[in-house]
Amino acid sequence: MKTSSHRLQRRSGGYALLLVLVFLGISTMLLTTIMNWTSETSRLTDRQNEYYTSADAAEAATEKVLTRVSADYLAGGEQAVINNLATYKSTIPLAADNPYWGNYLFKNASDGSQGVYVVRATNWQYTVLDIPFAGLSGFQATYRILSNAQLTNSRNANLTAAVQQDVGLDSIPIFQFAIFYNQDLEMNPSPPMIVGGKVHANGNIFTLPSSSLTFSNDVTASGFITNTFKPGDPMGSRGVLNPVVIFDGAHDAYSSTLNLPVGGDNSSSNVNQIVQLPPAGETNTSPLAHARLYNEADMIIVISDTNLTISSGPALGTNISVSSNDWSQFLVDTNIITNQRENSYVRTTRLDIGKFRTWAESGGNPITPSLLGKSTINIVYIADKRTSTAAVGVTTNGTPIFASVEPGVELINGQQLPKAGLTIATPDPVYIVGDYNTTSDGANFSKGVNSTTFTRPAAVLGDSINVLSTAWVDANSLSPTRIAADTTINAAFLSGIVPTGNGFYSGGVENFTRFLENWSGKNFYYNGSMVVMFNSQIAKAPYGGAGVYSPPSRHWAFDVNFLDVNKLPPATPQVLLIDRLAWLFQRPGYVPL
């Protein structure tokens, strides 16, 4: 029997066709699945890309608001921010800024309007600050900025991204710093020196000690930190081969600038206004008016060519005059001394702190504690507006000798301050004679030691700070041999300097307090905070004159009492900082409570 081969061939061809069709179907299914997966992946990738670009746009909106908030706060304090809150809510990136922003819609989640959600989240509270100013405390109010951004031609069902930023508006008492400079800081001491407490400069820091300089706490600068002399310092030609500068804490360059809220930039001339008399017509609501020490004073002393007036400060809300029968007990305005650094006579307004304290705490004081809302007067502002010529002596036949004079405020008998402490502020140079704030009850002393156990909160603010020892005698100020004696001062200082330049060194931090005596072999104990906010406007003679003084042994320490808000000097100025607290993606449409 014969077998038909062509049937087998036809049957095999049918199986092959079936297999081809099966594999073709599977391939089609796989291709469809891959295409669907690719399409979905592309769609998800496109959605993700759109979300993150929208999130970038939302962040840009929060940053634009934050820039406005920061500028207003640093210039005018929180009141300026509160005044502009409605404006911030309508502050968004615009096509006028860049055509790119025309592709986005920004919504305020609280009401759906175009804009950004901005709210004051917490009221002022005293809190510990974070890096780079960890260890300091300050008053802080927090603000929340929340932006929702959406691409106008979205292919993803109106996809929206939301970004939230929380920021702290910080206000830091300036006397929490051991040393604070609103400009370049120079410190080139000859003997070894240790700085205990935080140091900050709104400029550069130059250090080149002859032996060693140790910073035992954190150091920050808005500029750079370098172990060299400042350009223009004539001492720069003196080589120091192996300067020893030790940082026991952090030392951060290019840190944040800390500003006083004076309604403008923190230039020397602007910041100097905090110690000046307000001009006629200045509104009390301006940022600068809030920063003026005149407006914070309990008692104001103003001397003109024709009159001396003492009255209550503006904060009291009513004008109370102090009679000459009262003020003559503690004030003399005709004293003349010589400042050998200035090569000038100085006509001082001499305030006897001991007699003032007795009067201020007595029942005869018309500016009573009940009016002030505190135990006694503890913020005094003094300004001498007299012409710059005065009788500085007499001839043998009794004819007055007239000469050019500088104004000055002379503080004497200041061992014990009023119970609530004392802040003295003036636009004039200050001369502190003898021990200051060394006892609180007449028996216990913080004298000759770096201890402030028995002190009261104290600050002195002026054009310059001159320290005259316990051996100083006004009548001997012209003598070439002015021999000092050991002296202790416990107070925060804020004043100006004569900056390096024109062939002169500023004197550095080591000569921030100005001396006019021969301190050789004598000790100067200082506990406080040294703050330089401006260039001196009156006492402008440079450091380094021959025969002016020889330096004391400096026993200097930061007063740790100032880290306690309850022990800060009255009317302590506050510097401002914007502190970023949180950044996060938020649920679109979310409205914080």
Side-chain angles (χ1 to χ4, degrees):
M1 181 177 174
K2 293 183 177 180
T3 303
S4 176
S5 62
H6 70 275
R7 272 185 195 173
L8 292 173
Q9 291 173 353
R10 290 176 62 188
R11 191 173 296 167
S12 299
Y15 285 133
L17 178 60
L18 179 62
L19 288 173
V20 168
L21 292 173
V22 169
F23 282 114
L24 180 62
I26 292 172
S27 298
T28 302
M29 292 175 62
L30 287 172
L31 180 60
T32 301
T33 300
I34 290 170
M35 291 180 66
N36 288 338
W37 177 82
T38 301
S39 176
E40 180 65 17
T41 300
S42 177
R43 189 182 69 81
L44 290 174
T45 299
D46 180 68
R47 181 181 176 85
Q48 183 181 52
N49 290 338
E50 182 179 323
Y51 174 80
Y52 281 111
T53 56
S54 297
D56 289 342
E59 181 182 24
T62 64
E63 286 294 328
K64 187 171 182 179
V65 171
L66 181 56
T67 299
R68 289 282 306 276
V69 170
S70 178
D72 289 342
Y73 180 62
L74 296 181
E78 200 206 4
Q79 190 57 52
V81 175
I82 293 172
N83 293 343
N84 292 319
L85 201 56
T87 304
Y88 304 144
K89 294 178 181 179
S90 61
T91 299
I92 58 173
L94 301 171
D97 301 328
N98 188 301
Y100 175 80
W101 299 120
N103 299 320
Y104 287 93
L105 177 65
F106 299 91
K107 286 187 177 181
N108 184 332
S110 65
D111 56 15
S113 64
Q114 180 175 327
V116 180
Y117 179 84
V118 185
V119 67
R120 188 184 199 227
T122 65
N123 296 329
W124 283 107
Q125 55 187 344
Y126 202 67
T127 185
V128 177
L129 302 180
D130 206 343
I131 295 173
F133 300 108
L136 297 179
S137 296
F139 298 94
Q140 183 181 84
T142 61
Y143 280 73
R144 180 158 294 165
I145 306 168
L146 178 59
S147 172
N148 286 255
Q150 174 188 313
L151 192 65
T152 53
N153 60 346
S154 172
R155 298 187 300 273
N156 294 284
N158 298 322
L159 177 67
T160 299
V163 168
Q164 174 182 316
Q165 288 204 57
D166 291 348
V167 297
L169 307 189
D170 298 342
S171 182
I172 307 170
I174 200 168
F175 294 140
Q176 286 190 65
F177 290 92
I179 302 170
F180 185 104
Y181 269 53
N182 189 43
Q183 52 194 275
D184 287 346
L185 184 158
E186 300 167 87
M187 198 165 188
N188 308 312
S190 295
M193 182 170 284
I194 299 174
V195 178
K198 293 187 179 295
V199 175
H200 177 80
N202 281 341
N204 307 308
I205 295 180
F206 299 87
T207 59
L208 197 61
S210 297
S211 52
S212 67
L213 174 61
T214 301
F215 294 97
S216 62
N217 212 311
D218 296 346
V219 177
T220 51
S222 300
F224 54 77
I225 302 174
T226 180
N227 295 340
T228 60
F229 286 112
K230 181 177 178 178
D233 180 355
M235 297 176 69
S237 60
R238 177 175 61 84
V240 178
L241 297 178
N242 297 298
V244 178
V245 181
I246 300 169
F247 295 95
D248 287 337
H251 54 292
D252 298 327
Y254 305 106
S255 186
S256 299
T257 299
L258 300 175
N259 291 355
L260 281 175
V262 292
D265 63 49
N266 265 227
S267 63
S268 172
S269 58
N270 281 348
V271 174
N272 180 260
Q273 288 299 310
I274 69 170
V275 296
Q276 297 296 329
L277 284 163
E282 181 179 70
T283 172
N284 289 334
T285 60
S286 71
L288 180 54
H290 283 293
R292 286 192 192 277
L293 291 154
Y294 173 94
N295 291 324
E296 296 193 59
D298 303 322
M299 190 174 84
I300 293 173
I301 303 170
V302 178
I303 306 102
S304 69
D305 286 327
T306 59
N307 200 13
L308 187 156
T309 62
I310 299 183
S311 61
S312 56
L316 196 58
T318 183
N319 186 42
I320 299 174
S321 296
V322 176
S323 71
S324 60
N325 287 334
D326 279 338
W327 62 252
S328 61
Q329 299 176 44
F330 53 80
L331 195 71
V332 174
D333 66 333
T334 57
N335 201 47
I336 299 290
I337 65 173
T338 301
N339 184 320
Q340 304 248 8
R341 168 170 168 166
E342 294 294 306
N343 192 25
S344 173
Y345 291 105
V346 179
R347 178 174 49 193
T348 69
T349 301
R350 187 168 61 183
L351 177 64
D352 187 312
I353 300 294
K355 293 178 179 178
F356 166 75
R357 173 181 55 81
T358 300
W359 172 83
E361 295 177 352
S362 71
N365 168 20
I367 309 173
T368 61
S370 60
L371 292 173
L372 293 171
K374 52 188 175 182
S375 61
T376 188
I377 296 169
N378 64 2
I379 307 171
V380 177
Y381 181 88
I382 308 172
D384 187 341
K385 308 307 294 181
R386 289 175 286 187
T387 54
S388 59
T389 301
V392 297
V394 294
T395 63
T396 55
N397 62 4
T399 303
I401 300 172
F402 288 90
S404 177
V405 296
E406 291 182 356
V409 173
E410 191 175 3
L411 306 178
I412 67 170
N413 194 22
Q415 296 89 343
Q416 185 168 338
L417 305 185
K419 295 174 182 176
L422 183 64
T423 289
I424 302 290
T426 176
D428 305 322
V430 181
Y431 298 83
I432 304 175
V433 182
D435 294 331
Y436 194 85
N437 192 24
T438 54
T439 178
S440 59
D441 57 15
N444 297 316
F445 287 86
S446 290
K447 176 180 176 180
V449 293
N450 289 122
S451 168
T452 52
T453 303
F454 304 110
T455 65
R456 287 169 176 165
V460 178
L461 305 93
D463 180 77
S464 62
I465 306 292
N466 298 268
V467 171
L468 308 176
S469 78
T470 53
W472 175 267
V473 178
D474 286 353
N476 293 339
S477 60
L478 269 172
S479 170
T481 56
R482 304 174 304 282
I483 306 301
D486 292 356
T487 302
T488 303
I489 294 180
N490 300 310
F493 288 162
L494 184 154
S495 79
I497 61 169
V498 180
T500 290
N502 300 315
F504 293 97
Y505 173 44
S506 69
V509 176
E510 62 273 21
N511 293 292
F512 164 64
T513 52
R514 304 185 191 185
F515 302 107
L516 299 174
E517 299 168 90
N518 180 353
W519 287 79
S520 180
K522 309 300 180 182
N523 299 292
F524 175 45
Y525 295 88
Y526 174 76
N527 303 289
S529 167
M530 295 181 174
V531 177
V532 171
M533 294 306 298
F534 43 77
N535 296 334
S536 297
Q537 303 298 302
I538 298 173
K540 296 187 291 186
Y543 161 83
V548 175
Y549 82 100
S550 59
S553 295
R554 300 175 177 93
H555 306 272
W556 292 359
F558 169 61
D559 188 347
V560 295
N561 284 334
F562 297 161
L563 297 176
D564 183 341
V565 66
N566 298 308
K567 295 181 179 180
L568 283 165
T572 294
Q574 312 274 320
V575 286
L576 307 184
L577 172 71
I578 296 287
D579 192 5
R580 293 177 184 262
L581 302 176
W583 188 105
L584 65 151
F585 291 113
Q586 192 52 274
R587 174 172 53 83
Y590 168 75
V591 180
L593 297 177

